[in-house]
Amino acid sequence: MTNSEIGKKLKVSRVLVFRTAQRYRHLGTSDDIKRRGFPVTVTTPEAVKAVREKIRRTPERSGRKMAKEYEMSQGSMRTIVKDKLKMIPYRMQKGAFLNQKKKKSRMKKARKLLAGTKDGSQLTTLFTDEKIFTVEANKSGQNHRIIVTDYQSACEKEKILNKTSHPASVMVFSGITADDKTPLIFVDSGVKGVALSQFSLRKPTMDLPARRRPRSSCQRDSRVVSRHFSEFISAADWPASSPDLNPMDYATALIKKRDEIDDDYLRAVIDAYPKRLKAVIKAKGGRFENYS
């Protein structure tokens, strides 16, 4: 009987049959050949099983602490988690809570926005956003220390970071398109919101003067904007709790110095917009990790 016939009968590959027969001829047994190198002493099956059980009970684990607990290096623990268990340690992030109602609404609006990109409208869309920066020292008592001779000297060297209930802040407004970006607009103090930050606007046929209005006039601003823009995405049409869809949130914020953002980078950012909409639809309105 040939190797091919044996393979078909046992439903295994012909190569496996050939290697098994060859090993039997040389060793007189079908057992595996003794491997070269040092035997595994750290990432053993027992250690892998113990780590798997520990992660199963509480997934929120520190690889560094587990390595110390099992008296192994962090590299060995990384090998067990990533290579042996095929798991990925994700960093915990803060985000808006998405219940079933919000997921359904998010998916519905994402479908509507995706339909609007079939003609390439995202390439001529102005995506806007604003951010409030607090003018206050951002230091951690755990990581920032003051080395002096005594406590009084430490206080004199600003050991105590004075905090107020309402620290000074400044609001910055900006926008991007596929081939350009707006200048940074620093909003005057006392203005509670920027109405235009609620919309993603199509490029106008005429210049629209930049105006800053309180958020309470948002509906009036919508009517004003609609007269100058061929079409726009209102706040009601934009999916709530979706920073992963606005290019100003998911790509440009603090990733590069603003002056270093070129047209190629902006085009790549805008091209990802419809792909992210598809990812939201595929996830049925939930979170998504990758998009293509």
Side-chain angles (χ1 to χ4, degrees):
M1 185 177 290
T2 65
N3 292 338
S4 298
E5 292 173 343
I6 296 175
K8 289 181 180 179
K9 189 170 184 178
L10 298 178
K11 295 182 180 180
V12 295
S13 67
R14 180 175 59 85
V15 175
L16 177 61
V17 176
F18 172 77
R19 290 178 177 175
T20 303
Q22 190 179 42
R23 186 164 60 247
Y24 186 81
R25 293 191 195 100
H26 291 169
L27 304 177
T29 177
S30 61
D31 296 338
D32 289 339
I33 301 174
K34 186 176 181 180
R35 299 180 181 274
R36 297 179 181 179
F38 293 101
V40 176
T41 59
V42 179
T43 59
T44 60
E46 292 77 13
V48 174
K49 182 178 179 181
V51 172
R52 180 193 293 114
E53 181 62 21
K54 182 175 285 291
I55 294 175
R56 185 192 66 80
R57 292 197 301 267
T58 309
E60 186 180 339
R61 294 285 181 179
S62 168
R64 178 178 55 81
K65 291 182 179 179
M66 285 197 299
K68 186 176 181 180
E69 180 180 348
Y70 286 99
E71 298 181 347
M72 65 176 67
S73 68
Q74 295 184 36
S76 296
M77 180 56 66
R78 199 177 303 118
T79 298
I80 291 178
V81 174
K82 290 188 176 182
D83 299 336
K84 304 287 187 180
L85 298 179
K86 306 297 181 183
M87 293 181 176
I88 302 174
Y90 290 96
R91 290 185 177 182
M92 298 184 68
Q93 297 176 327
K94 293 182 179 180
F97 176 70
L98 293 177
N99 54 27
Q100 286 301 121
K101 183 179 180 180
K102 288 184 178 180
K103 289 180 181 180
K104 185 177 180 180
S105 174
R106 188 167 128 102
M107 182 172 63
K108 180 180 178 181
K109 292 181 179 180
R111 283 176 174 167
K112 183 177 180 180
L113 293 174
L114 181 62
T117 64
K118 291 183 178 179
D119 59 350
S121 62
Q122 74 275 10
L123 300 179
T124 58
T125 299
L126 172 64
F127 293 92
T128 64
D129 196 12
E130 86 282 349
K131 183 174 180 61
I132 297 179
F133 293 91
T134 301
V135 186
E136 190 174 71
N138 184 20
K139 295 182 179 181
S140 169
Q142 180 68 24
N143 301 325
H144 294 82
R145 307 296 177 92
I146 295 179
I147 303 177
V148 292
T149 56
D150 53 60
Y151 181 80
Q152 188 62 34
S153 299
C155 294
E156 293 175 357
K157 297 292 184 180
E158 298 183 353
K159 172 188 180 296
I160 306 299
L161 297 177
N162 297 317
K163 292 187 177 181
T164 61
S165 301
H166 304 284
S169 61
V170 59
M171 179 182 290
V172 182
F173 174 83
S174 183
I176 63 170
T177 64
D179 56 5
D180 205 354
K181 54 184 178 291
T182 70
L184 292 176
I185 301 176
F186 293 87
V187 183
D188 298 334
S189 60
V191 178
K192 297 182 179 180
V194 180
L196 293 184
S197 66
Q198 297 292 323
F199 312 110
S200 291
L201 308 170
R202 291 292 296 276
K203 285 185 177 179
T205 55
M206 60 177 293
D207 292 334
L208 180 65
R211 297 181 60 187
R212 296 185 288 272
R213 307 179 180 87
R215 192 178 299 273
S216 58
S217 61
C218 186
Q219 294 182 351
R220 183 185 63 192
D221 290 339
S222 300
R223 294 192 294 268
V224 173
V225 171
S226 64
R227 291 198 296 266
H228 292 275
F229 290 82
S230 57
E231 58 184 87
F232 67 96
I233 304 172
S234 68
D237 294 329
W238 187 261
S241 305
S242 300
D244 50 358
L245 294 181
N246 189 345
M248 286 292 294
D249 281 314
Y250 68 71
T252 62
L254 303 180
I255 292 181
K256 291 186 176 183
K257 292 182 180 179
R258 189 169 182 80
D259 294 338
E260 296 178 0
I261 298 178
D262 54 20
D263 292 348
D264 293 336
Y265 180 77
L266 290 175
R267 180 59 184 263
V269 168
I270 301 303
D271 285 343
Y273 172 64
K275 297 177 183 178
R276 286 175 170 267
L277 290 173
K278 292 178 182 178
V280 170
I281 297 172
K282 185 177 180 181
K284 297 182 179 180
R287 311 287 185 191
F288 62 89
E289 179 183 5
N290 299 315
Y291 60 91
S292 58

